[in-house]
Amino acid sequence: TQLLEQSPQFLSIQEGENLTVYCNSSSVFSSLQWYRQEPGEGPVLLVTVVTGGEVKKLKRLTFQFGDARKDSSLHITAAQPGDTGLYLCAGDPGAQKLVFGQGTRLTINP
Amino acid sequence: SAVISQKPSRDICQRGTSLTIQCQVDSQVTMMFWYRQQPGQSLTLIATANQGSEATYESGFVIDKFPISRPNLTFSTLTVSNMSPEDSSIYLCSVERALNTEAFFGQGTRLTVV
């Protein structure tokens, strides 16, 4: 059983479109993180959300933490080819180690 | 943040052999983590390596197959032993900042077993 369920797992859209990636769990997390991984590299931290209902913006990326701290979303506005990559949500269920979602492989076509 | 150097970055190995992956961090850290990322998949934690004690392995991973060393606070190795094609994966080491357990990763080792 996956502790963090990400959807969709694959997404291919045209440049300029908007998209949302979801990360859901039945468990409460003290914080959730989003990472992006490009081929040949390790994941790179994009953001950490800590407070229920929190919204954080990183240029065209908007991250939201659910009020109950069980889910999070990543919204990208006007996607660009440089946004292509594997997006991973992750959280600590209380065991001082991270669990990762299955990942969303995003392709932005020029 | 932390700068993590991992090597080798990739290798092609014969089945039945072993490969040791090294991970060097630019600062002292208490815990280091080793992950496996199978092709097209997410990250699965193999074990947590603490300096001065034996590594703690996750379900499905055993010390005989994935021995880990942690000789000091900036270095760790993971050995993939008696390799089979099913071990072909990316292996990643990471460290976590205690606050919010944010992780920093090495660039990974892409292992292909033939």
Side-chain angles (χ1 to χ4, degrees):
Chain A
T1 303
Q2 192 77 22
L3 196 59
L4 285 170
E5 297 281 347
Q6 260 185 265
S7 62
Q9 293 189 38
F10 298 93
L11 185 58
S12 180
I13 62 173
Q14 293 300 120
E15 181 176 1
E17 295 183 357
N18 302 331
L19 67 109
T20 302
V21 177
Y22 300 92
C23 178
N24 296 304
S25 177
S26 58
S27 303
V28 175
F29 287 84
S30 57
S31 65
L32 279 179
Q33 297 140 34
W34 286 91
Y35 295 81
R36 181 168 69 206
Q37 185 180 22
E38 300 187 33
E41 301 292 330
V44 175
L45 179 67
L46 295 174
V47 79
T48 300
V49 286
V50 179
T51 306
E54 181 178 9
V55 176
K56 283 191 173 179
K57 288 181 181 283
L58 188 66
K59 297 184 180 178
R60 294 174 294 99
L61 278 60
T62 301
F63 304 86
Q64 186 160 6
F65 201 11
D67 290 340
R69 291 187 288 126
K70 293 182 178 181
D71 55 87
S72 181
S73 64
L74 158 61
H75 182 79
I76 301 179
T77 303
Q80 299 178 1
D83 296 327
T84 293
L86 179 67
Y87 288 81
L88 297 155
C89 67
D92 176 4
Q96 288 193 304
K97 54 189 178 185
L98 285 178
V99 292
F100 284 81
Q102 310 98 310
T104 296
R105 192 163 297 279
L106 175 63
T107 302
I108 309 300
N109 303 300
Chain B
S1 65
V3 177
I4 303 169
S5 301
Q6 217 178 304
K7 59 180 181 182
S9 58
R10 59 177 61 231
D11 208 341
I12 301 174
C13 300
Q14 296 290 324
R15 68 178 66 200
T17 63
S18 298
L19 176 71
T20 296
I21 303 167
Q22 299 180 6
C23 182
Q24 179 76 50
V25 188
D26 68 342
S27 58
Q28 294 184 341
V29 293
T30 304
M31 293 192 291
M32 295 177 72
F33 302 85
W34 287 98
Y35 289 87
R36 182 174 70 185
Q37 186 176 27
Q38 294 179 303
Q41 303 295 315
S42 184
L43 279 67
T44 301
L45 182 63
I46 297 171
T48 303
N50 297 317
Q51 196 270 332
S53 64
E54 284 201 2
T56 304
Y57 289 82
E58 297 300 305
S59 176
F61 298 97
V62 295
I63 188 171
D64 290 346
K65 176 67 176 177
F66 297 101
I68 288 171
S69 78
R70 184 79 203 274
N72 57 54
L73 290 172
T74 64
F75 187 79
S76 179
T77 68
L78 170 76
T79 299
V80 186
S81 303
N82 188 25
M83 288 183 284
S84 67
E86 291 71 35
D87 294 320
S88 297
S89 284
I90 298 171
Y91 292 85
L92 295 145
C93 71
S94 84
V95 302
E96 293 179 4
R97 193 168 68 182
L99 182 65
N100 296 328
T101 45
E102 296 169 343
F104 302 94
F105 290 87
Q107 77 272 33
T109 297
R110 183 179 292 272
L111 171 62
T112 303
V113 184
V114 297

